[in-house]
Amino acid sequence: AQSVTQPDIHITVSEGASLELRCNYSYGATPYLFWYVQSPGQGLQLLLKYFSGDTLVQGIKGFEAEFKRSQSSFNLRKPSVHWSDAAEYFCAVGPSNTDKLIFGTGTRLQVFP
Amino acid sequence: DTAVSQTPKYLVTQMGNDKSIKCEQNLGHDTMYWYKQDSKKFLKIMFSYNNKELIINETVPNRFSPKSPDKAHLNLHINSLELGDSAVYFCASSSLGAPGAFFGQGTRLTVV
């Protein structure tokens, strides 16, 4: 069955610290992978996406993610977190020809000064 | 110049009522979607339209009826609202073949 797992429900980091949010997926075919961010009371904003090619992808707001096929993972990273990064982060997978995205349950990021 | 806009942002209504949520995108995309986010923040696709044609219709009660008058609009009509319909509904759009949807701000529906 197709699924996305975000093992960490809630993560707390200090401002300036590095961040890694985990995402594992189960998908029959080669997936398209996405990370979205949802700020409180807001819609979802696409941070980055991976289709093929270089397994390290750069996104907006200084985020990057690395696709590891052998581990079925697509972890999101940021070298130095800012207080404005506090939000809910969703990993998603989709097929190559449509956008029926399957979302993980999200990871809530709290940032302390 | 909002890319994907939904109205209303908040909707409080009584059980049994019928309500609509409107969505418009000005990105020139050919595919539009409705997603539902429940109280635990779980997001699940409900419908997908491509060029006004229904493509994806997940297991959703037939009280929910999407309508796409043109490529830029996808409205969601809900009949006989139930308490369990309370959620945040997101509209999104994308170009078929270029995955990565743009989402609206969401409509928080509360059924009392």
Side-chain angles (χ1 to χ4, degrees):
Chain A
Q2 301 163 355
S3 65
V4 177
T5 303
Q6 293 181 247
D8 305 304
I9 297 172
H10 187 196
I11 283 185
T12 302
V13 299
S14 298
E15 191 169 19
S18 63
L19 172 71
E20 182 169 30
L21 302 183
R22 296 183 290 166
C23 173
N24 293 95
Y25 65 90
S26 172
Y27 206 79
T30 301
Y32 284 52
L33 294 154
F34 308 86
W35 274 100
Y36 284 86
V37 60
Q38 184 180 23
S39 298
Q42 300 296 312
L44 285 86
Q45 183 180 22
L46 180 64
L47 283 175
L48 46 78
K49 55 192 175 186
Y50 173 77
F51 304 148
S52 63
D54 192 347
T55 55
L56 185 64
V57 292
Q58 303 297 321
I60 62 171
K61 305 186 179 190
F63 285 92
E64 66 177 27
E66 186 171 12
F67 171 61
K68 292 186 178 179
R69 186 186 300 275
S70 61
Q71 298 177 20
S72 296
S73 69
F74 188 56
N75 294 348
L76 182 71
R77 302 196 293 247
K78 187 169 184 178
S80 177
V81 170
H82 187 261
W83 64 266
S84 61
D85 293 324
E88 192 92 23
Y89 290 80
F90 293 93
C91 181
V93 300
S96 59
N97 59 344
T98 71
D99 249 9
K100 181 184 171 182
L101 295 176
I102 298 168
F103 283 86
T105 48
T107 297
R108 184 174 162 230
L109 174 66
Q110 251 184 316
V111 181
F112 283 110
Chain B
D1 58 343
T2 306
V4 182
S5 60
Q6 298 177 226
T7 53
K9 191 169 181 181
Y10 300 96
L11 184 54
V12 181
T13 188
Q14 290 187 325
M15 279 175 55
N17 283 350
D18 302 338
K19 289 293 177 187
S20 291
I21 306 172
K22 295 187 176 182
C23 178
E24 176 182 6
Q25 56 95 3
N26 62 5
L27 297 165
H29 288 162
D30 50 21
T31 307
M32 295 184 72
Y33 315 82
W34 280 108
Y35 282 82
K36 179 180 179 180
Q37 185 176 45
D38 63 22
S39 58
K40 294 183 178 169
K41 300 259 182 180
F42 182 62
L43 273 153
K44 190 169 181 206
I45 192 166
M46 300 172 68
F47 301 103
S48 165
Y49 267 75
N50 176 255
N51 284 320
K52 297 168 43 179
E53 214 174 300
L54 182 65
I55 295 188
I56 295 172
N57 183 356
E58 291 295 291
T59 309
V60 175
N62 57 16
R63 297 181 295 103
F64 290 79
S65 54
K67 292 227 173 9
S68 182
D70 56 57
K71 272 176 35 172
H73 296 83
L74 180 61
N75 304 324
L76 183 64
H77 189 75
I78 315 171
N79 289 329
S80 305
L81 277 155
E82 300 177 357
L83 292 177
D85 298 332
S86 295
V88 181
Y89 292 85
F90 285 101
C91 177
S93 73
S94 71
S95 287
L96 202 64
F102 289 79
F103 283 76
Q105 299 273 56
T107 295
R108 181 174 294 276
L109 171 65
T110 304
V111 182
V112 297

